[in-house]
Amino acid sequence: MQVLETVASRFGHELSVEEHQAGWCAYESTGTPLPDSTLAACVRGPAVFLGAVGDPRADGLPPGKRPEAALLKLRSTLGCFANLRPARVDEELVDMSALKREIAAGCDMVIVRELTGGLYYGQPRSRDADRAVNTLVYTKAEVERVAKVAFDLAHGRRRHVTSVDKANVLEVSQLWRAVVEEVAKGYPDVKLDHMFVDRAAMELVTAPKQFDVILTENLFGDILSDEASAMCGSLGLLASASVGGKVGLYEPVHGSAPDIAGKGIANPIAAIRSAALMLSYSFSLHAEAAAVERAVSKALADGLRTADLVPRGMASVSTTTFANAVAEAVK
Ligand code: IPM
Ligand code: MN
């Protein structure tokens, strides 16, 4: 929020913000993780900037009462079917990558994760004492619209889409593949590859430079994006934009990290970069978004690191110090 305020004052914009509860805090005060008032405010838009949700105190609760339910309902109600998760290895952080320097350096990809379908939402779903059911279902229309987002994005990048599926086993993936092929015909200058998800998981850590845009379904995208964060150096770095509906939803890829809550050591980069995506996608403020991105790079280049970005035991700065530095650099 501090970085957004600085952007507004430097570029002469008026920043109008309403705060609403979602997740555990909402459940505690109202008995539901996503109160109607929150949902109504989000639907009014024009953009939702979301803090991470999740709390171990909710572990015993049924799925519909858990903090995550707020997120899933928001995503589907807002119709944000395409979740863009950029994963670029920052020059300054190559040595924090879980991968060898020569494998990680220069990697720059975007994972386009389908966000409102698949196993997360499929019906029927149920759980009895000794049997549980979830349903993997995709329609042609659902695949088509997210594939178009991926191809449009690739068109403005290195013009390469890798569609990730499990078509050697799953009918849903066979449909996915066929529809993606169809969509690809409309983009003759974008190269399309298909890859099975198990192989993709392996290539992501052995040869990640080959990826430009990865297009995949909801659950595979969830898993592969956390894997990509290890390539970047920390889960605290990855931002996301969920688009496709009237209102965009912007959230860090990481969870709420309850183990470090209140310690002032969380990495704010994912949230700050999510704000930059919001400036760009919801408000078409591209210069402002670029200024935020540059400010993050400057703070890193100046040697500032939160605890997740230094070898264990080395000195680090707090969340606030890092965010202050980014805001300073935006000025
Ligand atoms: C993510 C998160 C969520 C997801 C959880 C919190 C429900 O892991 O955004 O990647 O699985 O989509
Ligand atoms: Mn996830």
Side-chain angles (χ1 to χ4, degrees):
M1 288 311 307
Q2 188 191 346
V3 171
L4 282 172
E5 278 155 19
T6 312
V7 166
S9 72
R10 155 151 178 221
F11 290 87
H13 300 299
E14 190 192 326
L15 178 66
S16 148
V17 180
E18 278 176 40
E19 284 189 17
H20 295 273
Q21 291 191 332
W24 178 257
C25 58
Y27 177 76
E28 257 193 335
S29 61
T30 70
T32 158
L34 187 67
D36 291 342
S37 53
T38 299
L39 187 59
C42 293
V43 169
R44 279 198 299 275
V48 178
F49 185 45
L50 191 96
V53 299
D55 194 295
R57 284 170 289 182
D59 281 351
L61 296 177
K65 297 273 185 200
R66 294 175 57 96
E68 290 82 354
L71 186 55
L72 300 183
K73 188 160 178 201
L74 256 182
R75 289 171 176 172
S76 67
T77 308
L78 297 178
C80 309
F81 59 82
N83 180 224
L84 317 184
R85 300 188 155 187
R88 189 169 44 78
V89 175
D90 293 288
E91 245 169 79
E92 300 83 4
L93 298 179
V94 187
D95 290 322
M96 283 311 293
S97 176
L99 310 184
K100 293 192 191 85
R101 165 176 270 278
E102 60 276 19
I103 292 177
C107 281
D108 179 359
M109 69 184 78
V110 180
I111 297 177
V112 177
R113 168 187 177 192
E114 199 292 326
L115 201 62
T116 54
L119 278 165
Y120 277 62
Y121 294 93
Q123 294 291 344
R125 59 188 299 158
S126 64
R127 179 174 165 191
D128 299 331
D130 44 19
R131 186 168 182 273
V133 176
N134 288 100
T135 301
L136 176 58
V137 51
Y138 270 107
T139 63
K140 181 177 174 198
E142 284 176 310
V143 181
E144 228 165 47
R145 63 187 186 178
V146 72
K148 284 186 182 147
V149 171
F151 279 93
D152 284 333
L153 189 66
H155 191 77
R157 295 175 45 95
R158 301 195 306 277
R159 303 193 173 186
H160 182 196
V161 170
T162 307
S163 175
V164 171
D165 62 38
K166 190 68 187 173
N168 48 344
V169 179
L170 303 174
E171 285 80 358
V172 169
S173 285
Q174 290 156 7
L175 175 80
W176 179 281
R177 210 174 254 229
V179 175
V180 172
E181 294 270 351
E182 265 311 300
V183 172
K185 289 187 185 145
Y187 298 83
D189 57 349
V190 177
K191 180 170 173 261
L192 170 66
D193 289 330
H194 300 282
M195 200 179 276
F196 297 142
V197 63
D198 48 352
R199 161 117 184 262
M202 185 268 284
E203 300 265 341
L204 250 182
V205 291
T206 50
K209 280 200 238 312
Q210 70 184 290
F211 298 115
D212 176 21
V213 173
I214 292 181
L215 164 65
T216 192
E217 62 113 83
N218 204 342
L219 183 64
F220 297 163
D222 179 44
I223 298 168
L224 294 179
S225 57
D226 270 30
E227 193 187 353
S229 77
M231 169 192 85
C232 295
S234 166
L235 192 51
L237 295 167
L238 262 60
S240 91
S242 302
V243 298
K246 280 205 203 83
V247 174
L249 175 63
Y250 302 87
E251 49 169 312
V253 167
H254 61 68
S256 58
D259 54 322
I260 60 166
K263 295 188 180 164
I265 59 171
N267 187 341
I269 292 181
I272 294 171
R273 284 182 169 156
S274 298
L277 290 172
M278 175 171 74
L279 291 171
S280 202
Y281 281 96
S282 279
F283 301 106
S284 294
L285 297 175
H286 303 294
E288 288 80 347
V292 172
E293 285 293 344
R294 273 197 310 275
V296 171
S297 298
K298 163 124 190 0
L300 290 174
D302 288 346
L304 296 178
R305 301 282 187 273
T306 43
D308 54 314
L309 294 177
V310 295
R312 211 172 284 279
M314 300 270 290
S316 57
V317 303
S318 70
T319 309
T320 314
T321 303
F322 194 93
N324 282 340
V326 176
E328 252 334 285
V330 167
K331 284 183 195 156

